[in-house]
Coordinates of all heavy atoms in Angstrom, one line a residue:
M22 N 2.1 13.8 -10.2 CA 1.0 13.1 -10.8 C 0.7 11.8 -10.0 O -0.4 11.4 -9.7 CB 1.2 12.9 -12.2 CG 0.1 12.2 -12.9 SD -1.4 13.2 -12.8 CE -2.1 12.8 -14.4
A23 N 1.8 11.1 -9.7 CA 1.6 9.8 -9.0 C 1.0 10.0 -7.6 O 0.2 9.2 -7.2 CB 3.0 9.1 -8.8
A24 N 1.4 11.1 -6.9 CA 0.8 11.4 -5.6 C -0.7 11.7 -5.7 O -1.5 11.2 -4.9 CB 1.6 12.5 -5.0
K25 N -1.1 12.4 -6.8 CA -2.5 12.7 -6.9 C -3.3 11.4 -7.2 O -4.4 11.2 -6.7 CB -2.7 13.7 -8.1 CG -2.3 15.1 -7.7 CD -2.6 16.0 -8.9 CE -2.2 17.5 -8.5 NZ -2.6 18.4 -9.6
L26 N -2.7 10.5 -8.0 CA -3.4 9.3 -8.3 C -3.5 8.4 -7.1 O -4.6 7.9 -6.8 CB -2.6 8.5 -9.4 CG -3.2 7.2 -9.9 CD1 -4.6 7.4 -10.5 CD2 -2.2 6.6 -10.9
L27 N -2.5 8.4 -6.3 CA -2.5 7.6 -5.0 C -3.6 8.2 -4.1 O -4.4 7.5 -3.5 CB -1.2 7.6 -4.4 CG -1.1 6.9 -3.0 CD1 -1.5 5.5 -3.1 CD2 0.2 7.1 -2.3
Q28 N -3.6 9.5 -4.0 CA -4.6 10.2 -3.1 C -6.0 9.9 -3.6 O -6.9 9.6 -2.8 CB -4.4 11.7 -3.1 CG -5.2 12.4 -2.0 CD -5.0 11.8 -0.6 OE1 -3.9 11.7 -0.2 NE2 -6.1 11.3 0.0
R29 N -6.2 9.8 -4.9 CA -7.6 9.5 -5.4 C -8.0 8.1 -5.1 O -9.1 7.8 -4.7 CB -7.6 9.7 -7.0 CG -8.9 9.4 -7.6 CD -10.0 10.3 -7.2 NE -11.2 9.9 -7.8 CZ -12.3 9.5 -7.1 NH1 -12.2 9.5 -5.8 NH2 -13.4 9.1 -7.7
L30 N -7.0 7.2 -5.2 CA -7.3 5.8 -4.8 C -7.6 5.7 -3.3 O -8.6 5.0 -3.0 CB -6.0 4.9 -5.1 CG -6.2 3.5 -4.5 CD1 -6.4 2.5 -5.6 CD2 -4.9 3.2 -3.7
L31 N -6.9 6.4 -2.5 CA -7.1 6.3 -1.1 C -8.5 7.0 -0.7 O -9.2 6.4 0.2 CB -6.0 6.9 -0.3 CG -4.6 6.2 -0.4 CD1 -3.5 7.0 0.3 CD2 -4.7 4.8 0.1
D32 N -8.8 8.1 -1.4 CA -10.1 8.7 -1.1 C -11.2 7.8 -1.5 O -12.2 7.7 -0.8 CB -10.2 10.0 -1.9 CG -9.3 11.1 -1.4 OD1 -8.8 11.0 -0.3 OD2 -9.1 12.1 -2.2
E33 N -11.1 7.1 -2.7 CA -12.2 6.2 -3.1 C -12.3 5.0 -2.2 O -13.4 4.6 -1.8 CB -11.8 5.7 -4.5 CG -12.9 4.8 -5.1 CD -14.2 5.5 -5.5 OE1 -14.2 6.7 -5.7 OE2 -15.2 4.8 -5.6
A34 N -11.2 4.5 -1.7 CA -11.2 3.4 -0.8 C -11.9 3.8 0.5 O -12.8 3.1 1.0 CB -9.8 2.9 -0.5
R35 N -11.6 5.0 1.0 CA -12.2 5.5 2.2 C -13.7 5.6 2.0 O -14.5 5.2 2.9 CB -11.6 6.8 2.6 CG -12.0 7.4 3.9 CD -11.2 8.6 4.3 NE -9.8 8.4 4.6 CZ -8.8 8.7 3.8 NH1 -9.0 9.4 2.7 NH2 -7.6 8.5 4.1
E36 N -14.1 6.2 0.9 CA -15.6 6.4 0.6 C -16.3 5.0 0.6 O -17.5 5.0 0.9 CB -15.7 7.1 -0.7 CG -15.3 8.6 -0.6 CD -15.4 9.3 -2.0 OE1 -15.9 8.7 -3.0 OE2 -14.8 10.4 -2.1
R37 N -15.6 4.0 0.2 CA -16.2 2.7 0.1 C -16.1 1.9 1.4 O -16.5 0.7 1.5 CB -15.6 1.9 -1.0 CG -15.9 2.4 -2.4 CD -15.1 1.7 -3.5 NE -15.4 2.3 -4.8 CZ -15.9 1.6 -5.8 NH1 -16.2 0.4 -5.7 NH2 -16.1 2.2 -6.9
G38 N -15.6 2.5 2.4 CA -15.5 1.9 3.7 C -14.4 0.9 3.9 O -14.3 0.1 4.8
I39 N -13.4 1.0 3.0 CA -12.2 0.1 3.1 C -11.3 0.6 4.2 O -11.1 1.8 4.3 CB -11.5 0.0 1.7 CG1 -12.4 -0.7 0.7 CG2 -10.1 -0.7 1.9 CD1 -11.9 -0.6 -0.7
R40 N -10.9 -0.2 5.0 CA -10.1 0.2 6.2 C -8.6 0.1 6.0 O -7.8 0.8 6.7 CB -10.5 -0.6 7.4 CG -11.9 -0.3 7.8 CD -12.3 -1.2 9.0 NE -13.7 -1.0 9.3 CZ -14.2 -0.1 10.1 NH1 -13.4 0.8 10.7 NH2 -15.5 0.0 10.4
E41 N -8.1 -0.8 5.1 CA -6.7 -1.0 4.9 C -6.4 -1.3 3.4 O -7.2 -2.0 2.8 CB -6.2 -2.2 5.7 CG -6.3 -2.0 7.2 CD -5.9 -3.3 8.0 OE1 -6.5 -4.3 7.7 OE2 -5.1 -3.1 8.9
V42 N -5.3 -0.7 2.9 CA -4.9 -0.9 1.6 C -3.5 -1.6 1.7 O -2.6 -1.0 2.3 CB -4.8 0.4 0.8 CG1 -4.2 0.1 -0.6 CG2 -6.1 1.0 0.7
F43 N -3.4 -2.8 1.1 CA -2.1 -3.5 1.2 C -1.5 -3.5 -0.2 O -2.1 -3.5 -1.2 CB -2.4 -5.0 1.6 CG -2.9 -5.1 2.9 CD1 -4.3 -5.1 3.2 CD2 -2.0 -5.3 4.0 CE1 -4.8 -5.3 4.5 CE2 -2.5 -5.4 5.3 CZ -3.9 -5.4 5.5
L44 N -0.1 -3.5 -0.2 CA 0.6 -3.7 -1.5 C 1.9 -4.4 -1.3 O 2.4 -4.5 -0.2 CB 0.8 -2.3 -2.2 CG 1.8 -1.3 -1.5 CD1 3.2 -1.6 -1.8 CD2 1.3 0.1 -1.9
G45 N 2.3 -5.0 -2.4 CA 3.6 -5.7 -2.4 C 4.5 -5.2 -3.5 O 4.0 -4.7 -4.5
T46 N 5.8 -5.2 -3.3 CA 6.7 -4.8 -4.2 C 8.0 -5.6 -4.1 O 8.2 -6.4 -3.1 CB 7.0 -3.2 -4.1 OG1 7.9 -2.8 -5.1 CG2 7.6 -2.9 -2.7
T47 N 8.9 -5.4 -5.0 CA 10.2 -6.0 -4.8 C 11.2 -5.2 -3.9 O 11.0 -4.0 -3.9 CB 10.9 -6.2 -6.2 OG1 12.2 -6.7 -6.0 CG2 11.0 -5.0 -7.0
D48 N 12.1 -5.8 -3.3 CA 13.0 -5.1 -2.4 C 14.0 -4.2 -3.2 O 14.7 -3.4 -2.6 CB 13.8 -6.0 -1.5 CG 14.6 -7.1 -2.2 OD1 14.5 -7.1 -3.5 OD2 15.3 -7.9 -1.6
R49 N 14.0 -4.3 -4.5 CA 14.9 -3.5 -5.4 C 14.4 -2.1 -5.7 O 15.2 -1.3 -6.2 CB 15.2 -4.3 -6.6 CG 16.0 -5.5 -6.4 CD 16.4 -6.2 -7.6 NE 17.3 -7.3 -7.3 CZ 18.2 -7.8 -8.2 NH1 18.4 -7.2 -9.3 NH2 18.9 -8.8 -7.8
F50 N 13.1 -1.9 -5.6 CA 12.5 -0.6 -6.0 C 12.6 0.4 -4.9 O 11.6 0.8 -4.3 CB 11.1 -0.8 -6.5 CG 10.9 -1.6 -7.7 CD1 9.7 -2.1 -8.1 CD2 11.9 -1.8 -8.6 CE1 9.5 -2.8 -9.3 CE2 11.8 -2.5 -9.8 CZ 10.6 -3.0 -10.1
L51 N 13.8 0.9 -4.6 CA 14.0 1.8 -3.5 C 13.2 3.1 -3.6 O 12.7 3.6 -2.6 CB 15.5 2.1 -3.3 CG 16.4 0.8 -3.1 CD1 17.8 1.2 -3.0 CD2 15.9 0.0 -2.0
A52 N 13.1 3.6 -4.8 CA 12.3 4.9 -5.0 C 10.9 4.6 -4.7 O 10.2 5.5 -4.1 CB 12.5 5.4 -6.4
A53 N 10.4 3.5 -5.0 CA 9.0 3.1 -4.7 C 8.8 3.0 -3.2 O 7.8 3.5 -2.7 CB 8.6 1.8 -5.4
H54 N 9.7 2.5 -2.5 CA 9.7 2.3 -1.0 C 9.6 3.7 -0.4 O 8.7 4.0 0.4 CB 10.9 1.6 -0.5 CG 11.1 0.3 -1.1 ND1 12.3 -0.4 -0.9 CD2 10.3 -0.5 -1.8 CE1 12.2 -1.5 -1.5 NE2 11.1 -1.7 -2.1
R55 N 10.4 4.6 -0.9 CA 10.4 6.0 -0.4 C 9.1 6.7 -0.6 O 8.5 7.4 0.2 CB 11.6 6.8 -1.0 CG 12.9 6.4 -0.4 CD 14.0 7.4 -0.8 NE 14.2 7.5 -2.3 CZ 15.0 6.7 -3.0 NH1 15.7 5.7 -2.3 NH2 15.1 6.8 -4.3
F56 N 8.5 6.5 -1.8 CA 7.2 7.1 -2.2 C 6.1 6.6 -1.3 O 5.4 7.4 -0.7 CB 6.9 6.7 -3.7 CG 5.6 7.2 -4.1 CD1 5.4 8.5 -4.5 CD2 4.5 6.4 -4.1 CE1 4.1 9.0 -4.9 CE2 3.2 6.8 -4.5 CZ 3.1 8.1 -4.9
Y57 N 6.1 5.3 -1.1 CA 5.0 4.7 -0.3 C 5.1 5.2 1.2 O 4.2 5.6 1.8 CB 5.1 3.2 -0.3 CG 4.8 2.6 -1.6 CD1 5.6 1.5 -2.1 CD2 3.9 3.0 -2.5 CE1 5.4 0.9 -3.3 CE2 3.7 2.5 -3.8 CZ 4.5 1.4 -4.2 OH 4.3 0.9 -5.4
E58 N 6.3 5.2 1.7 CA 6.6 5.6 3.1 C 6.3 7.1 3.3 O 5.7 7.5 4.3 CB 8.0 5.2 3.5 CG 8.2 3.7 3.6 CD 9.6 3.3 3.7 OE1 10.5 4.1 3.8 OE2 9.8 2.0 3.6
K59 N 6.7 7.9 2.3 CA 6.4 9.3 2.3 C 4.9 9.6 2.4 O 4.5 10.6 3.0 CB 7.0 10.0 1.1 CG 6.7 11.5 1.0 CD 7.3 12.0 -0.3 CE 6.9 13.5 -0.5 NZ 7.5 14.0 -1.7
H60 N 4.1 8.7 1.8 CA 2.7 8.9 1.7 C 1.9 8.1 2.8 O 0.7 7.9 2.6 CB 2.2 8.6 0.3 CG 2.6 9.7 -0.7 ND1 3.8 9.6 -1.4 CD2 2.1 10.9 -1.0 CE1 4.0 10.7 -2.1 NE2 3.0 11.5 -1.8
G61 N 2.6 7.6 3.8 CA 1.9 7.1 4.9 C 1.8 5.6 5.0 O 1.2 5.0 5.9
F62 N 2.4 4.9 4.0 CA 2.3 3.4 4.1 C 3.4 2.9 5.1 O 4.4 3.5 5.2 CB 2.7 2.8 2.7 CG 1.5 2.8 1.7 CD1 1.2 4.0 1.1 CD2 0.7 1.7 1.5 CE1 0.1 4.0 0.2 CE2 -0.3 1.7 0.7 CZ -0.7 2.8 0.0
E63 N 3.0 1.9 5.8 CA 3.9 1.3 6.8 C 4.4 -0.1 6.3 O 3.5 -0.9 5.8 CB 3.2 1.1 8.1 CG 2.7 2.4 8.7 CD 1.8 2.1 9.9 OE1 2.1 1.2 10.7 OE2 0.8 2.8 10.1
E64 N 5.7 -0.4 6.4 CA 6.1 -1.7 6.0 C 5.7 -2.7 7.0 O 5.6 -2.5 8.2 CB 7.7 -1.7 6.0 CG 8.2 -3.0 5.4 CD 9.7 -3.1 5.3 OE1 10.4 -2.0 5.5 OE2 10.2 -4.1 5.0
I65 N 5.2 -3.9 6.5 CA 4.8 -5.0 7.3 C 5.4 -6.3 6.8 O 5.9 -6.4 5.7 CB 3.2 -5.1 7.3 CG1 2.7 -5.4 5.9 CG2 2.6 -3.9 8.0 CD1 1.2 -5.7 5.8
G66 N 5.3 -7.3 7.7 CA 5.8 -8.6 7.3 C 4.8 -9.4 6.5 O 3.6 -9.1 6.6
K67 N 5.2 -10.3 5.7 CA 4.4 -11.2 4.9 C 3.3 -11.8 5.7 O 2.1 -12.0 5.3 CB 5.2 -12.2 4.1 CG 4.4 -13.0 3.1 CD 5.4 -13.9 2.3 CE 4.6 -14.7 1.3 NZ 5.5 -15.6 0.5
A68 N 3.6 -12.2 6.9 CA 2.6 -12.9 7.8 C 1.5 -12.0 8.2 O 0.5 -12.5 8.7 CB 3.4 -13.5 9.1
E69 N 1.7 -10.7 8.1 CA 0.6 -9.7 8.5 C -0.4 -9.4 7.4 O -1.3 -8.7 7.6 CB 1.3 -8.4 8.9 CG 2.2 -8.6 10.2 CD 2.9 -7.3 10.5 OE1 2.2 -6.4 11.0 OE2 4.1 -7.2 10.2
L70 N -0.2 -10.0 6.2 CA -1.1 -9.8 5.1 C -2.3 -10.6 5.3 O -2.3 -11.7 5.8 CB -0.4 -10.1 3.8 CG 0.8 -9.3 3.4 CD1 1.6 -9.9 2.3 CD2 0.3 -7.9 3.0
P71 N -3.4 -10.1 4.7 CA -4.7 -10.9 4.8 C -4.6 -12.1 3.9 O -3.8 -12.2 2.9 CB -5.8 -9.9 4.3 CG -5.0 -8.9 3.5 CD -3.7 -8.8 4.1
E72 N -5.3 -13.2 4.2 CA -5.3 -14.4 3.4 C -5.7 -14.1 2.0 O -5.3 -14.9 1.1 CB -6.2 -15.4 4.1 CG -5.7 -16.0 5.3 CD -6.7 -17.1 5.9 OE1 -7.4 -17.7 5.1 OE2 -6.6 -17.3 7.1
S73 N -6.5 -13.1 1.7 CA -7.0 -12.9 0.4 C -6.0 -12.1 -0.5 O -6.2 -11.8 -1.6 CB -8.3 -12.1 0.5 OG -8.1 -10.8 1.1
F74 N -4.8 -11.7 0.1 CA -3.8 -10.9 -0.7 C -3.3 -11.8 -1.8 O -3.0 -12.9 -1.7 CB -2.7 -10.6 0.3 CG -1.7 -9.6 -0.4 CD1 -1.9 -8.3 -0.4 CD2 -0.5 -10.1 -1.0 CE1 -1.0 -7.4 -1.0 CE2 0.4 -9.3 -1.6 CZ 0.1 -7.9 -1.6
L75 N -3.3 -11.1 -3.0 CA -2.8 -11.8 -4.2 C -1.3 -11.5 -4.4 O -0.9 -10.4 -4.7 CB -3.6 -11.3 -5.5 CG -5.1 -11.6 -5.4 CD1 -5.8 -10.9 -6.6 CD2 -5.4 -13.1 -5.4
F76 N -0.5 -12.5 -4.2 CA 0.9 -12.4 -4.3 C 1.4 -12.5 -5.8 O 0.9 -13.2 -6.6 CB 1.6 -13.5 -3.5 CG 1.5 -13.4 -2.1 CD1 0.4 -14.1 -1.4 CD2 2.4 -12.7 -1.3 CE1 0.3 -13.9 -0.1 CE2 2.2 -12.6 0.0 CZ 1.2 -13.2 0.7
M77 N 2.4 -11.7 -6.1 CA 3.1 -11.8 -7.3 C 4.5 -12.4 -7.0 O 5.0 -12.2 -5.9 CB 3.3 -10.4 -8.0 CG 2.0 -9.8 -8.5 SD 2.3 -8.3 -9.3 CE 3.2 -8.8 -10.7
A78 N 5.0 -13.2 -7.9 CA 6.3 -13.9 -7.6 C 7.4 -13.0 -7.1 O 8.3 -13.4 -6.4 CB 6.7 -14.7 -8.8
V79 N 7.4 -11.8 -7.6 CA 8.5 -10.8 -7.3 C 8.4 -10.1 -6.0 O 9.3 -9.4 -5.5 CB 8.8 -9.8 -8.5 CG1 9.2 -10.5 -9.7 CG2 7.5 -9.0 -8.6
D80 N 7.2 -10.2 -5.4 CA 6.9 -9.4 -4.2 C 7.7 -10.0 -3.0 O 7.6 -11.2 -2.7 CB 5.4 -9.5 -3.8 CG 4.5 -8.7 -4.7 OD1 5.1 -7.9 -5.5 OD2 3.3 -8.9 -4.7
T81 N 8.5 -9.1 -2.4 CA 9.3 -9.5 -1.2 C 9.2 -8.5 -0.1 O 9.7 -8.7 1.0 CB 10.8 -9.6 -1.6 OG1 11.2 -8.4 -2.2 CG2 11.1 -10.8 -2.6
K82 N 8.6 -7.3 -0.4 CA 8.4 -6.3 0.6 C 6.9 -5.9 0.5 O 6.4 -5.7 -0.5 CB 9.3 -5.1 0.2 CG 9.5 -4.1 1.3 CD 10.6 -3.1 0.9 CE 10.8 -2.0 1.9 NZ 12.0 -2.2 2.7
F83 N 6.4 -5.6 1.7 CA 4.9 -5.4 1.8 C 4.6 -4.2 2.7 O 5.3 -3.9 3.6 CB 4.2 -6.7 2.4 CG 4.5 -7.9 1.6 CD1 5.6 -8.7 1.9 CD2 3.8 -8.2 0.4 CE1 5.9 -9.8 1.2 CE2 4.2 -9.3 -0.4 CZ 5.2 -10.1 0.0
Y84 N 3.5 -3.5 2.3 CA 3.1 -2.3 3.0 C 1.6 -2.3 3.2 O 0.8 -3.0 2.5 CB 3.4 -1.1 2.1 CG 4.9 -0.7 2.0 CD1 5.7 -1.2 1.0 CD2 5.5 0.1 2.9 CE1 7.0 -0.9 0.9 CE2 6.8 0.4 2.8 CZ 7.6 -0.1 1.8 OH 8.9 0.3 1.7
V85 N 1.2 -1.5 4.2 CA -0.2 -1.3 4.5 C -0.4 0.2 4.7 O 0.4 0.9 5.3 CB -0.7 -2.1 5.7 CG1 0.0 -1.7 7.0 CG2 -2.2 -2.0 5.9
F86 N -1.6 0.7 4.3 CA -2.0 2.0 4.6 C -3.3 1.9 5.3 O -4.3 1.2 4.8 CB -2.2 2.9 3.3 CG -2.6 4.3 3.6 CD1 -1.6 5.2 3.6 CD2 -3.9 4.7 3.9 CE1 -1.8 6.6 3.9 CE2 -4.1 6.0 4.1 CZ -3.1 7.0 4.2
R87 N -3.4 2.3 6.6 CA -4.6 2.2 7.4 C -5.4 3.5 7.2 O -5.0 4.6 7.5 CB -4.3 1.9 8.8 CG -3.6 0.6 8.9 CD -3.3 0.2 10.4 NE -2.9 -1.2 10.4 CZ -1.6 -1.6 10.3 NH1 -0.7 -0.7 10.2 NH2 -1.3 -2.9 10.4
L88 N -6.7 3.3 6.7 CA -7.5 4.5 6.4 C -8.4 4.8 7.6 O -8.9 3.9 8.3 CB -8.4 4.1 5.2 CG -7.7 4.0 3.9 CD1 -8.3 2.9 3.1 CD2 -7.7 5.3 3.2
A89 N -8.6 6.1 7.9 CA -9.6 6.5 8.9 C -10.9 6.6 8.2 O -11.1 7.6 7.4 CB -9.1 7.8 9.5
V90 N -11.8 5.6 8.3 CA -13.1 5.6 7.6 C -13.9 6.8 8.1 O -14.0 7.0 9.4 CB -13.8 4.3 7.8 CG1 -15.1 4.3 7.1 CG2 -12.9 3.2 7.2
G91 N -14.5 7.5 7.2 CA -15.4 8.6 7.6 C -14.6 9.9 7.8 O -15.2 10.9 8.1
A92 N -13.3 9.9 7.6 CA -12.5 11.1 7.8 C -12.5 12.0 6.6 O -12.7 11.6 5.5 CB -11.1 10.7 8.2

């Protein structure tokens, strides 16, 4: 179910012309890291996040999914 929800989010983002989806998580959620990586998210450093990224205090690990717009 989680994979279908994520795919729907990415499909909607692609349809809206969004090129990148960023997310933050805590370094303790190892299962979440595996899920994101399995579905194509790449780990990035905090410095690589856009200025508009909304940080949560617990976020220590960051990911990006680069969308192929029009695919």
Side-chain angles (χ1 to χ4, degrees):
M22 183 62 145
K25 286 184 181 183
L26 182 59
L27 176 61
Q28 190 56 56
R29 178 68 184 113
L30 170 108
L31 296 174
D32 290 344
E33 182 69 23
R35 189 177 289 110
E36 289 172 15
R37 293 175 182 238
I39 295 170
R40 297 179 184 270
E41 297 174 309
V42 175
F43 295 90
L44 64 85
T46 186
T47 174
D48 58 358
R49 293 182 175 212
F50 292 164
L51 302 181
H54 304 164
R55 286 190 300 272
F56 176 82
Y57 299 137
E58 292 165 7
K59 176 181 175 183
H60 290 91
F62 281 80
E63 301 172 38
E64 186 176 354
I65 59 172
K67 188 175 182 179
E69 297 175 72
L70 294 166
E72 289 182 24
S73 61
F74 186 83
L75 298 175
F76 290 93
M77 294 185 62
V79 297
D80 290 345
T81 56
K82 192 169 179 108
F83 304 94
Y84 288 92
V85 63
F86 186 95
R87 293 185 174 89
L88 293 144
V90 177

